[in-house]
Amino acid sequence: MNQDKFTNVYRLPGSIQVRIAKWQATFRGTSDIVLHDALIVRNKQFQKPDFLPRGWCLTPFSEDDISITHHGKYIQTTMLTMIDKKVSYKRVYLSRVPLEQAEPALRQYKIEWMRKYNDIVNKYNKIKKKELMVHAWEEVETLYPSIPKAEFDKNLWNKLVISQFGPERKYSNPYFVKKADF
């Protein structure tokens, strides 16, 4: 048997173990038949809807993730641009808008962005998970590691954003938020 490494599959002396986060399964023996069974069980875990393989899928944001920081003359929140997913900051200067209005407005701005962002994340994750499963089932057939190292696919992300929301020039901000009460 080849000693190549499979994703989430570990060879122990006398057994093969599948470990995914806190879930694990151990199979007695080290033969190709045992490896085949372990890969099938691993793939069933991969197919679960709540499983987002690290590196392959993105984690959606929730409203609990919103943080607005105060910096004296302005408040800000961290956001990602829709095109290329770059880190950026949305600031509201308190000289233009009082804090009582600025904070709820910034929160609403981020919630609108978050909904749009999460729509794209869900589409991206479906596509990337299908791609992962093609490689995972190939491993079951060949008993040879074929899942490549995962990286963020910027081209796929940008295609999904443009197909969902249209071209970037259609928006006045890189977050594709239309309702800005500032």
Side-chain angles (χ1 to χ4, degrees):
M1 185 166 74
N2 197 340
Q3 293 297 318
D4 291 316
K5 294 188 178 188
F6 291 86
T7 303
N8 299 101
V9 176
Y10 302 92
R11 298 172 195 267
L12 305 173
S15 64
I16 294 177
Q17 191 174 67
V18 179
R19 282 181 269 167
I20 301 172
K22 294 180 181 179
W23 179 89
Q24 71 178 28
T26 304
F27 300 83
R28 292 182 126 186
T30 58
S31 69
D32 285 350
I33 294 170
V34 174
L35 176 61
H36 182 268
D37 293 342
L39 290 172
I40 287 175
V41 169
R42 178 204 63 185
N43 289 357
K44 286 180 182 174
Q45 290 295 315
F46 279 1
Q47 287 180 311
K48 289 186 175 180
D50 61 339
F51 175 70
L52 299 174
R54 189 174 281 147
W56 283 86
C57 293
L58 302 171
T59 306
F61 286 106
S62 74
E63 288 190 33
D64 297 335
D65 297 330
I66 296 175
S67 73
I68 296 174
T69 56
H70 297 262
H71 297 274
K73 295 181 180 181
Y74 62 89
I75 60 173
Q76 78 177 15
T77 188
T78 306
M79 297 175 71
L80 299 171
T81 61
M82 289 302 268
I83 298 292
D84 293 342
K85 227 174 91 61
K86 293 179 183 174
V87 175
S88 135
Y89 301 96
K90 178 63 180 170
R91 292 185 175 142
V92 178
Y93 288 91
L94 299 175
S95 59
R96 294 181 53 210
V97 182
L99 180 62
E100 301 79 38
Q101 291 175 344
E103 198 161 346
L106 186 57
R107 184 173 184 74
Q108 284 307 114
Y109 188 90
K110 189 152 184 180
I111 288 170
E112 183 183 340
W113 166 81
M114 198 178 298
R115 285 189 189 120
K116 290 181 175 189
Y117 176 85
N118 286 344
D119 285 346
I120 302 300
V121 165
N122 292 333
K123 290 177 182 182
Y124 179 89
N125 286 349
K126 281 182 184 177
I127 292 169
K128 292 304 280 184
K129 201 164 180 180
K130 281 183 185 176
E131 189 180 316
L132 170 74
M133 292 312 301
V134 167
H135 295 295
W137 287 115
E138 182 182 321
E139 287 185 348
V140 170
E141 292 174 17
T142 63
L143 296 181
Y144 187 79
S146 64
I147 296 177
K149 186 176 185 314
E151 292 179 359
F152 173 66
D153 188 345
K154 186 168 58 170
N155 292 331
L156 172 62
W157 177 267
N158 290 343
K159 281 181 191 175
L160 291 171
V161 169
I162 291 169
S163 71
Q164 177 83 18
F165 303 115
E168 191 175 8
R169 67 181 174 272
K170 189 173 152 184
Y171 297 89
S172 62
N173 58 63
Y175 316 110
F176 290 24
V177 175
K178 288 202 176 205
K179 298 175 190 166
D181 297 333
F182 303 112

